[in-house]
Structure formats: structure tokens, C-alpha cells
Amino acid sequence: DTTAPVLNTAVVNGNQLVLGYTEATTLDATHPAGIGDFAVTANGAANAVIGVTVNAAAKTITLSLATAVTSDQ
């Protein structure tokens, strides 16, 4: 598989950012991207990624953030 997944949705809930992808096959949960492969900002300020979880069947990657994101960000 040489085709990169395409980001379809991004939903934040507190300190969890769930990225949904479109892909003909599933994401690789065995070899997920590392924490340093993601950069998240809220209101122009960095929000550190402290965890990455892949749900291959659901085609999602959940990023755990150091700080919760509020509705006004």
C-alpha cells in the first residue's frame, strides 16, 4: 500500500482529538506514527501530544493532548 490515508474528520472532546481517515484498507495499528509526528495548536499555542492510539477498524487515530481544548478554541 503506497497511498497515504486522507484526513476526513477531526473531532475534539476535552483532551482527545479523534482524526478520521478515508482509506480503502485499514490503518496500521501495529506500526502507528509516533507522538512527535503530530503537531497540535489551539489559538496559536502548541498543545503537546502525549499519546497516540490507532483504531484500524474504525479508521481513526486518537491523539491524547496535554491540555483539554475548550469550545471557544
Side-chain angles (χ1 to χ4, degrees):
D1 182 8
T2 58
T3 303
V6 175
L7 181 64
N8 187 41
T9 60
V11 177
V12 69
N13 185 9
N15 73 330
Q16 303 288 304
L17 174 57
V18 181
L19 306 173
Y21 290 87
T22 59
E23 169 80 356
T25 59
T26 57
L27 296 171
D28 187 352
T30 307
H31 303 97
I35 293 171
D37 294 327
F38 297 93
V40 177
T41 60
N43 288 343
N47 192 338
V49 176
I50 58 174
V52 177
T53 305
V54 176
N55 183 329
K59 300 179 185 177
T60 61
I61 297 175
T62 300
L63 305 179
S64 297
L65 306 175
T67 306
V69 177
T70 60
S71 62
D72 61 341
Q73 294 179 309

